[in-house]
Every structure is written in structure tokens, then in C-alpha cells.
Amino acid sequence: MNVPFLSLHDVTAMHGDEIREAARRVIDSGWYLQGKENEAFEKHYAEYIGSPFCIGCANGLDALIWIFRAYIELGVMQPGDEVIVPANTYIATILGITENGLKPVLVEPRKETLEIDDSLIEAVITPRTKAICIVHLYGRNAMTDKIAELCKKYNLKLIEDNAQAHGCTWHGKRTGSIGDAAGHSFYPGKNLGALGDAGAVTTNDPELAAAVRALANYGSQKKYIFKYAGRNSRLDEIQAAILDVKLKYLDEDIQRRQEVAAYYYAHISNPLIELPEQLDDAHNVYHLFPIIVKDGKRDALHDYLAEKEIGTVIHYPIAPHKQECYAKEAWNIPQLSLPITEFLADAELSLPISPCMTKEQMEYVAECINAFA
């Protein structure tokens, strides 16, 4: 039986007629940038997230870059200031910080949750610390009461990397509306994915929203008048229209992912496999289903499942602090020692999970994993 890690063809086909109609509508309109489709999607996504402002942009990395750049332009931060960030995130989170001349302060995750360990944060706060950037990695909520307390105690901005967690909640609020600002990615493989690159910023701060919108449009708030030296990072009309279609089905698609995850938790049983702490469904939208493979057998399991025609992906095999691009940064000399992050890089494997998976595919994945030795 073939079980792809994620079939974008099948995901798109679920709502294919509406997606094609949305694209056709844009093509026929003759208006391809900054039009009604952007307005509609930004309005609907802001309502869904529960945030007053949503600004579409080119991709999820740009969304993070613009948040930090806007805070610098507004005088809230300046180059050299520190931003606390989980060490085991995808590198884009850290790129958003370093692109703006800010210093990332990497904090280890909890092995059980794979999210930032809030018990380690206060010890690294200094007078230069201006923000905590949490990452809802794998679709799991990363926010805690302790993080909220620290932000209030030290007057820190709370920035969310919500690239993997559209639809997740914490205390009844959607991730992406919990902090001061959030970056969202709509890369095709995400729970809410476009047919190309796309992203957005959500925030409750009108001044920040205006700065982000200008920065992503060459720095212009009015045509041919440039307040900032910005860049071109706009969400195009076709992607906005497609995202607006898929947004209507996001909660339904998440529920299907949660059903797959529930089956995995109930039926995967192998002493070599450790599953992350199970959260209630409100706190996990299962963008990915990571497992931890013990005894150095992660790569062997990956190859074994490939032989069984089961697609898996390693997230992420080289930790950010061990990437060549950060080898000469002052904050990484001597190279940081982050044993939990490094262990996860060597042991994590993501299993197939999508709204298109069949019961037979779930059963086959679990059976094959349980038979691995």
C-alpha cells in the first residue's frame, strides 16, 4: 500500500472546483495585486484568528521579518536587542530575527512537548531582551501561563510564529491572536496552504499593522510616497482567493487530522518509538505528527518505511545553531551546546498525516511501525 507523506494533489482536489472557480474569477477580473480578493481574505482570516488586523504578504519568513522590522522602525526595538526563541525551531524563525540585526537567544525545548521550556526563559532575560518569540511547532500550542507572566513582568513583546498552527487555541483564543503580533505561513503543505508561497501578519496594534503593510509595499503608505525603505512582499490575488476558499474548510480538515492522530496514539506501540505528550485537540492541529525514535534508529526506520511505501520526513536534521550560516555569529561562538535540541534533530521523524488519509492507510502505518525492530 502506498501512503504518501502528504499528497498536495489530493488535498487540492478536495475543494478543486471551488479553487478553480476562484482562480478563474481573478483571471477574468483583470486585477491581480492588492485588490478585492486580498481584502476579503484578510478580513476573513482576521475574523477566524480573532485579531483586529491582518496583512497579507509574500511568505511566512517575510511575515516575521516585517514584524521585527516594524518594531525597529517604531522605536520599540533597535539592532542588537535580544529576542528569546526556541532552539529547535525551523530556521525561518531565527532568520526573521537576525535579518533585522537582532540577537536570537536560543532556549531549549521540553523533550516531552517539543515546545520551548518556559522554566528556562527567565534565566536568560537581560536588559537588552525585548521580546519572546514562541513557535507553535508541529501544530502544537507553545503558549503557557508562565510565558504570559514573564512578558508582563519584564514588559516584553510576545511574538508568535504561527506558521504551523492555523486553528490551534490557547485558553479559548486562536494562536496568532495571543501575543502582540504573529507571522503566518501559507506554504502549500501547511494546514491552510496556498498553491505557492504566501503569508500574513496578524496583530492587535494598529500602528504596527500600518508599518507592516507599508514595509511590505516598498515602504509606501501612499502611492509614490515612501515613509520607509521597504521591499516588495505582497500576497497576490490568486493566492488570496484560493486561501479564502480553503479557509472555509480549515476546521473540518483539522478535525480529520486529529482523527488520524488519535488513531496513531491509540495503536502505535513499539518500545523504540516515543510519542510526544498528547494534548487535547484544542491545543494541537497536527500540522505534523512527530515521533522520537530511540537507540539511534531514526534513519533506519525512515528507510524501512520507505521500503513499505510509507512517506516520512525528518524535521529538522540539523539544528539552527549548527548551520553554517550561523557558525561565525558572535552569539554562537563558541558554538552553543543544546543537547535536547541536538537529540531531537537526530531522533525526530514525522509520520504521514493529512485530511485525505484513509482508515486503511492509518492501519498500515501503525502496523508497519509496530513491526519495526
Side-chain angles (χ1 to χ4, degrees), residues 247-262:
L247 180 60
K248 296 186 297 183
Y249 301 100
L250 179 56
D251 287 342
E252 179 183 323
D253 291 349
I254 288 170
Q255 184 177 353
R256 290 175 182 166
R257 288 174 176 271
Q258 290 167 338
E259 290 167 0
V260 177

PDB file of all heavy atoms in Angstrom, residues 247-262:
ATOM      1  N   LEU A 247      -9.983  28.354   3.582  1.00  0.00           N
ATOM      2  CA  LEU A 247     -10.254  28.773   4.961  1.00  0.00           C
ATOM      3  C   LEU A 247     -11.609  28.270   5.442  1.00  0.00           C
ATOM      4  O   LEU A 247     -11.774  27.914   6.618  1.00  0.00           O
ATOM      5  CB  LEU A 247     -10.177  30.301   5.067  1.00  0.00           C
ATOM      6  CG  LEU A 247     -10.444  30.914   6.441  1.00  0.00           C
ATOM      7  CD1 LEU A 247      -9.445  30.400   7.474  1.00  0.00           C
ATOM      8  CD2 LEU A 247     -10.390  32.441   6.357  1.00  0.00           C
ATOM      9  N   LYS A 248     -12.577  28.211   4.548  1.00  0.00           N
ATOM     10  CA  LYS A 248     -13.926  27.757   4.920  1.00  0.00           C
ATOM     11  C   LYS A 248     -13.920  26.315   5.430  1.00  0.00           C
ATOM     12  O   LYS A 248     -14.798  25.922   6.199  1.00  0.00           O
ATOM     13  CB  LYS A 248     -14.873  27.861   3.731  1.00  0.00           C
ATOM     14  CG  LYS A 248     -15.115  29.276   3.217  1.00  0.00           C
ATOM     15  CD  LYS A 248     -16.164  29.300   2.129  1.00  0.00           C
ATOM     16  CE  LYS A 248     -15.755  28.539   0.901  1.00  0.00           C
ATOM     17  NZ  LYS A 248     -16.753  28.626  -0.195  1.00  0.00           N
ATOM     18  N   TYR A 249     -12.931  25.545   4.987  1.00  0.00           N
ATOM     19  CA  TYR A 249     -12.888  24.119   5.327  1.00  0.00           C
ATOM     20  C   TYR A 249     -11.788  23.780   6.325  1.00  0.00           C
ATOM     21  O   TYR A 249     -11.572  22.603   6.629  1.00  0.00           O
ATOM     22  CB  TYR A 249     -12.680  23.302   4.042  1.00  0.00           C
ATOM     23  CG  TYR A 249     -13.755  23.524   3.016  1.00  0.00           C
ATOM     24  CD1 TYR A 249     -13.550  24.376   1.933  1.00  0.00           C
ATOM     25  CD2 TYR A 249     -15.003  22.907   3.144  1.00  0.00           C
ATOM     26  CE1 TYR A 249     -14.552  24.593   0.992  1.00  0.00           C
ATOM     27  CE2 TYR A 249     -16.000  23.117   2.196  1.00  0.00           C
ATOM     28  CZ  TYR A 249     -15.765  23.961   1.122  1.00  0.00           C
ATOM     29  OH  TYR A 249     -16.763  24.180   0.189  1.00  0.00           O
ATOM     30  N   LEU A 250     -11.118  24.799   6.848  1.00  0.00           N
ATOM     31  CA  LEU A 250      -9.956  24.548   7.691  1.00  0.00           C
ATOM     32  C   LEU A 250     -10.306  23.740   8.930  1.00  0.00           C
ATOM     33  O   LEU A 250      -9.634  22.759   9.263  1.00  0.00           O
ATOM     34  CB  LEU A 250      -9.279  25.864   8.076  1.00  0.00           C
ATOM     35  CG  LEU A 250      -8.054  25.757   8.996  1.00  0.00           C
ATOM     36  CD1 LEU A 250      -6.987  24.851   8.398  1.00  0.00           C
ATOM     37  CD2 LEU A 250      -7.474  27.147   9.280  1.00  0.00           C
ATOM     38  N   ASP A 251     -11.352  24.113   9.642  1.00  0.00           N
ATOM     39  CA  ASP A 251     -11.710  23.397  10.868  1.00  0.00           C
ATOM     40  C   ASP A 251     -12.083  21.950  10.573  1.00  0.00           C
ATOM     41  O   ASP A 251     -11.746  21.038  11.338  1.00  0.00           O
ATOM     42  CB  ASP A 251     -12.865  24.112  11.583  1.00  0.00           C
ATOM     43  CG  ASP A 251     -12.422  25.405  12.252  1.00  0.00           C
ATOM     44  OD1 ASP A 251     -11.209  25.583  12.458  1.00  0.00           O
ATOM     45  OD2 ASP A 251     -13.290  26.236  12.557  1.00  0.00           O
ATOM     46  N   GLU A 252     -12.759  21.727   9.469  1.00  0.00           N
ATOM     47  CA  GLU A 252     -13.120  20.369   9.059  1.00  0.00           C
ATOM     48  C   GLU A 252     -11.865  19.552   8.742  1.00  0.00           C
ATOM     49  O   GLU A 252     -11.753  18.380   9.139  1.00  0.00           O
ATOM     50  CB  GLU A 252     -14.030  20.446   7.830  1.00  0.00           C
ATOM     51  CG  GLU A 252     -14.480  19.125   7.270  1.00  0.00           C
ATOM     52  CD  GLU A 252     -15.317  19.313   6.009  1.00  0.00           C
ATOM     53  OE1 GLU A 252     -16.098  20.296   5.957  1.00  0.00           O
ATOM     54  OE2 GLU A 252     -15.183  18.485   5.082  1.00  0.00           O
ATOM     55  N   ASP A 253     -10.929  20.165   8.042  1.00  0.00           N
ATOM     56  CA  ASP A 253      -9.689  19.473   7.708  1.00  0.00           C
ATOM     57  C   ASP A 253      -8.874  19.163   8.962  1.00  0.00           C
ATOM     58  O   ASP A 253      -8.253  18.090   9.074  1.00  0.00           O
ATOM     59  CB  ASP A 253      -8.859  20.315   6.741  1.00  0.00           C
ATOM     60  CG  ASP A 253      -9.480  20.413   5.351  1.00  0.00           C
ATOM     61  OD1 ASP A 253     -10.444  19.672   5.079  1.00  0.00           O
ATOM     62  OD2 ASP A 253      -9.004  21.241   4.548  1.00  0.00           O
ATOM     63  N   ILE A 254      -8.862  20.104   9.905  1.00  0.00           N
ATOM     64  CA  ILE A 254      -8.143  19.884  11.166  1.00  0.00           C
ATOM     65  C   ILE A 254      -8.745  18.702  11.924  1.00  0.00           C
ATOM     66  O   ILE A 254      -8.021  17.862  12.479  1.00  0.00           O
ATOM     67  CB  ILE A 254      -8.174  21.156  12.032  1.00  0.00           C
ATOM     68  CG1 ILE A 254      -7.266  22.232  11.434  1.00  0.00           C
ATOM     69  CG2 ILE A 254      -7.752  20.851  13.470  1.00  0.00           C
ATOM     70  CD1 ILE A 254      -7.414  23.594  12.079  1.00  0.00           C
ATOM     71  N   GLN A 255     -10.064  18.615  11.929  1.00  0.00           N
ATOM     72  CA  GLN A 255     -10.726  17.509  12.628  1.00  0.00           C
ATOM     73  C   GLN A 255     -10.300  16.158  12.044  1.00  0.00           C
ATOM     74  O   GLN A 255     -10.072  15.194  12.777  1.00  0.00           O
ATOM     75  CB  GLN A 255     -12.239  17.653  12.548  1.00  0.00           C
ATOM     76  CG  GLN A 255     -12.987  16.592  13.348  1.00  0.00           C
ATOM     77  CD  GLN A 255     -14.489  16.793  13.332  1.00  0.00           C
ATOM     78  OE1 GLN A 255     -14.998  17.798  12.830  1.00  0.00           O
ATOM     79  NE2 GLN A 255     -15.212  15.842  13.873  1.00  0.00           N
ATOM     80  N   ARG A 256     -10.146  16.099  10.743  1.00  0.00           N
ATOM     81  CA  ARG A 256      -9.694  14.857  10.111  1.00  0.00           C
ATOM     82  C   ARG A 256      -8.264  14.531  10.525  1.00  0.00           C
ATOM     83  O   ARG A 256      -7.923  13.367  10.766  1.00  0.00           O
ATOM     84  CB  ARG A 256      -9.793  14.985   8.586  1.00  0.00           C
ATOM     85  CG  ARG A 256     -11.230  15.025   8.074  1.00  0.00           C
ATOM     86  CD  ARG A 256     -11.251  15.274   6.583  1.00  0.00           C
ATOM     87  NE  ARG A 256     -12.614  15.355   6.057  1.00  0.00           N
ATOM     88  CZ  ARG A 256     -12.926  15.814   4.858  1.00  0.00           C
ATOM     89  NH1 ARG A 256     -11.956  16.237   4.051  1.00  0.00           N
ATOM     90  NH2 ARG A 256     -14.182  15.854   4.449  1.00  0.00           N
ATOM     91  N   ARG A 257      -7.418  15.548  10.587  1.00  0.00           N
ATOM     92  CA  ARG A 257      -6.048  15.330  11.057  1.00  0.00           C
ATOM     93  C   ARG A 257      -6.051  14.806  12.495  1.00  0.00           C
ATOM     94  O   ARG A 257      -5.267  13.906  12.853  1.00  0.00           O
ATOM     95  CB  ARG A 257      -5.245  16.634  10.996  1.00  0.00           C
ATOM     96  CG  ARG A 257      -4.890  17.090   9.578  1.00  0.00           C
ATOM     97  CD  ARG A 257      -4.222  18.467   9.600  1.00  0.00           C
ATOM     98  NE  ARG A 257      -3.789  18.875   8.273  1.00  0.00           N
ATOM     99  CZ  ARG A 257      -2.599  18.603   7.738  1.00  0.00           C
ATOM    100  NH1 ARG A 257      -1.717  17.931   8.461  1.00  0.00           N
ATOM    101  NH2 ARG A 257      -2.290  18.999   6.525  1.00  0.00           N
ATOM    102  N   GLN A 258      -6.910  15.363  13.318  1.00  0.00           N
ATOM    103  CA  GLN A 258      -6.990  14.930  14.721  1.00  0.00           C
ATOM    104  C   GLN A 258      -7.462  13.489  14.832  1.00  0.00           C
ATOM    105  O   GLN A 258      -7.033  12.753  15.733  1.00  0.00           O
ATOM    106  CB  GLN A 258      -7.908  15.879  15.494  1.00  0.00           C
ATOM    107  CG  GLN A 258      -7.295  17.262  15.676  1.00  0.00           C
ATOM    108  CD  GLN A 258      -8.271  18.315  16.156  1.00  0.00           C
ATOM    109  OE1 GLN A 258      -9.494  18.167  15.996  1.00  0.00           O
ATOM    110  NE2 GLN A 258      -7.763  19.390  16.739  1.00  0.00           N
ATOM    111  N   GLU A 259      -8.304  13.058  13.925  1.00  0.00           N
ATOM    112  CA  GLU A 259      -8.754  11.660  13.916  1.00  0.00           C
ATOM    113  C   GLU A 259      -7.596  10.723  13.567  1.00  0.00           C
ATOM    114  O   GLU A 259      -7.456   9.649  14.166  1.00  0.00           O
ATOM    115  CB  GLU A 259      -9.911  11.492  12.928  1.00  0.00           C
ATOM    116  CG  GLU A 259     -11.197  12.164  13.383  1.00  0.00           C
ATOM    117  CD  GLU A 259     -12.240  12.266  12.278  1.00  0.00           C
ATOM    118  OE1 GLU A 259     -11.966  11.810  11.142  1.00  0.00           O
ATOM    119  OE2 GLU A 259     -13.325  12.807  12.548  1.00  0.00           O
ATOM    120  N   VAL A 260      -6.761  11.137  12.607  1.00  0.00           N
ATOM    121  CA  VAL A 260      -5.577  10.336  12.267  1.00  0.00           C
ATOM    122  C   VAL A 260      -4.651  10.258  13.475  1.00  0.00           C
ATOM    123  O   VAL A 260      -4.150   9.184  13.841  1.00  0.00           O
ATOM    124  CB  VAL A 260      -4.825  10.927  11.056  1.00  0.00           C
ATOM    125  CG1 VAL A 260      -3.556  10.132  10.771  1.00  0.00           C
ATOM    126  CG2 VAL A 260      -5.723  10.966   9.821  1.00  0.00           C
ATOM    127  N   ALA A 261      -4.417  11.403  14.111  1.00  0.00           N
ATOM    128  CA  ALA A 261      -3.521  11.444  15.265  1.00  0.00           C
ATOM    129  C   ALA A 261      -4.050  10.571  16.401  1.00  0.00           C
ATOM    130  O   ALA A 261      -3.273   9.854  17.061  1.00  0.00           O
ATOM    131  CB  ALA A 261      -3.357  12.882  15.740  1.00  0.00           C
ATOM    132  N   ALA A 262      -5.350  10.612  16.645  1.00  0.00           N
ATOM    133  CA  ALA A 262      -5.942   9.798  17.708  1.00  0.00           C
ATOM    134  C   ALA A 262      -5.711   8.314  17.437  1.00  0.00           C
ATOM    135  O   ALA A 262      -5.429   7.531  18.358  1.00  0.00           O
ATOM    136  CB  ALA A 262      -7.428  10.096  17.832  1.00  0.00           C
TER     137      ALA A 262
END
